[in-house]
Amino acid sequence: MDYKDYYATLGVKKDASQEEIQKAYRKLARKFHPDVNKDPDAEVKFKDVGEAYEVLKDPDKRQKYDQFGSDWKRTGGVPPGWGGQGFGGQGFDFGDMGGGEGFSSFFEMLFGSGGAGRRGARRAGGFSGFGGGNPFGGGGGGDTEAQISLTLDEAVRGGTRDITLVDPSTGQRKNLSVRIPEGIRPGQRIRLAGQGQAGMEGGQAGDLLLKVEIQPDSRFRLEGSDIHTNLPVTPWEAALGGEAEVETPTGRVRVRIPAGSSSGRKIRLRNRGLTVAGGAKGDKGDLLAEIRIMVPDQLTDSERSLFEQLAEESSFQPRS
């Protein structure tokens, strides 16, 4: 077997951290993804990157690879070539069934076009087994799990997302439309029936479970089921009260600013958050807009004069 330098494939050093390996893989996978790179060699490079990451992301496999090189698979006591039917009728390696990840080379997933925000998914665990069937004749396929990254807007609003499942070892692609429930929370799973591990000898396929993660959003902060945001106001709006628009994941909402509001005061918009875990049907968290009093970076002569007049006239002592 020819030696494959997986570290060189990902462009990382041999002592690279798992975070560096994952970052390099994501960058190269997006670069050589067949849906975005039409270079004839891109598909081959995409497969090589997937193969390298499949080994280096796993500490046990990485240790074996560092010790035995490309021949690391033969160290597990499994005869070479002993396999079964996998995704798209391709064989897969049974050698890692005892390693806690199930079938190690079923497929690595990347999400393609459709929907807002960056899309991505990664294989995040093993399979549940053969569904109780005989693995040598008619057994059901196991479930597999991946992660789907949603924007906060998508999680609150719900909707659909078009995804592409890519098998890096074969380049085979499958397009699916995923329904995103309104108010879905981080950590919840979306089940796609029949899209998991293929069954044996015509057995029923398992399911694909998409574990939801929500991308960071500079506008909002998620705490449990509640969404937090900032509401910038002028000094006179804070002192005198008034109205302002608050941005929410479902659109702008006009709110009343109570007179005498200091920075840190929160205005609560009920049922504008995510579904409450364990709550009644339709029970949602709130959106809390925190008032932040803002002042100009530079004052005009007229503004400076007015502020100086206020300083002379006012007896307010915030530090007393």
Side-chain angles (χ1 to χ4, degrees):
M1 178 183 295
D2 294 334
Y3 175 70
K4 293 184 178 180
D5 190 337
Y6 290 150
Y7 294 101
T9 299
L10 294 180
V12 297
K13 296 180 180 179
K14 192 171 182 178
D15 60 352
S17 66
Q18 291 296 321
E19 183 179 355
E20 290 172 328
I21 288 172
Q22 185 181 71
K23 184 177 180 181
Y25 165 71
R26 289 181 174 178
K27 180 179 179 180
L28 292 173
R30 287 194 296 268
K31 178 179 179 181
F32 296 120
H33 193 290
D35 282 346
V36 298
N37 193 327
K38 303 306 179 183
D39 189 295
D41 295 330
E43 187 170 321
V44 174
K45 293 178 180 178
F46 181 75
K47 295 176 185 177
D48 291 342
V49 167
E51 179 183 339
Y53 180 64
E54 176 69 22
V55 175
L56 298 184
K57 73 174 182 178
D58 184 290
D60 183 58
K61 294 179 187 177
R62 183 178 179 180
Q63 182 180 11
K64 292 179 181 178
Y65 170 77
D66 289 343
Q67 185 175 0
F68 299 102
S70 299
D71 207 34
W72 67 273
K73 287 187 180 181
R74 298 178 185 266
T75 64
V78 180
W82 192 71
Q85 290 300 110
F87 179 66
Q90 302 297 319
F92 48 72
D93 175 26
F94 278 52
D96 290 305
M97 286 181 67
E101 282 197 274
F103 305 123
S104 66
S105 56
F106 176 50
F107 51 65
E108 195 76 37
M109 295 182 187
L110 294 173
F111 285 0
S113 59
R118 181 195 300 180
R119 291 154 179 78
R122 58 183 180 273
R123 186 171 166 274
F127 305 90
S128 61
F130 290 100
N134 180 358
F136 299 103
D143 295 344
T144 187
E145 183 175 291
Q147 288 188 340
I148 181 170
S149 181
L150 305 177
T151 65
L152 187 59
D153 291 8
E154 287 178 306
V156 173
R157 294 170 181 259
T160 58
R161 163 75 71 81
D162 294 329
I163 67 172
T164 299
L165 306 184
V166 182
D167 181 353
S169 63
T170 65
Q172 185 174 357
R173 291 175 298 209
K174 180 185 291 188
N175 298 321
L176 298 173
S177 181
V178 179
R179 187 183 70 82
I180 301 169
E182 179 182 336
I184 195 165
R185 295 168 54 86
Q188 290 185 316
R189 289 164 173 80
I190 301 173
R191 181 181 295 271
L192 302 182
Q195 301 299 331
Q197 173 64 34
M200 302 292 292
E201 300 295 332
Q204 184 176 0
D207 298 338
L208 173 60
L209 306 176
L210 300 179
K211 184 178 179 180
V212 172
E213 65 176 16
I214 296 181
Q215 301 168 15
D217 193 312
S218 60
R219 303 167 300 167
F220 306 110
R221 185 179 75 258
L222 187 62
E223 292 185 6
S225 299
D226 293 334
I227 298 172
H228 294 253
T229 190
N230 294 330
L231 176 58
V233 302
T234 63
W236 47 92
E237 286 176 323
L240 303 175
E243 291 187 348
E245 285 191 343
V246 175
E247 187 173 9
T248 79
T250 55
R252 290 184 170 273
V253 176
R254 198 157 188 84
V255 298
R256 186 180 66 83
I257 303 170
S261 293
S262 298
S263 286
R265 183 170 188 170
K266 294 180 174 67
I267 299 175
R268 184 180 298 271
L269 302 179
R270 298 194 178 278
N271 297 318
R272 295 273 180 172
L274 297 180
T275 301
V276 175
K281 186 176 181 180
D283 191 9
K284 292 186 177 183
D286 302 330
L287 184 140
L288 294 97
E290 182 176 330
I291 290 176
R292 296 287 181 89
I293 299 175
M294 311 297 290
V295 297
D297 292 333
Q298 295 182 339
L299 297 175
T300 65
D301 292 341
S302 176
E303 288 171 332
R304 180 175 297 278
S305 176
L306 290 170
F307 274 112
E308 289 173 348
Q309 181 181 347
L310 176 63
E312 292 177 1
E313 295 289 338
S314 178
S315 60
F316 178 58
Q317 297 293 331
R319 292 176 296 279
S320 61

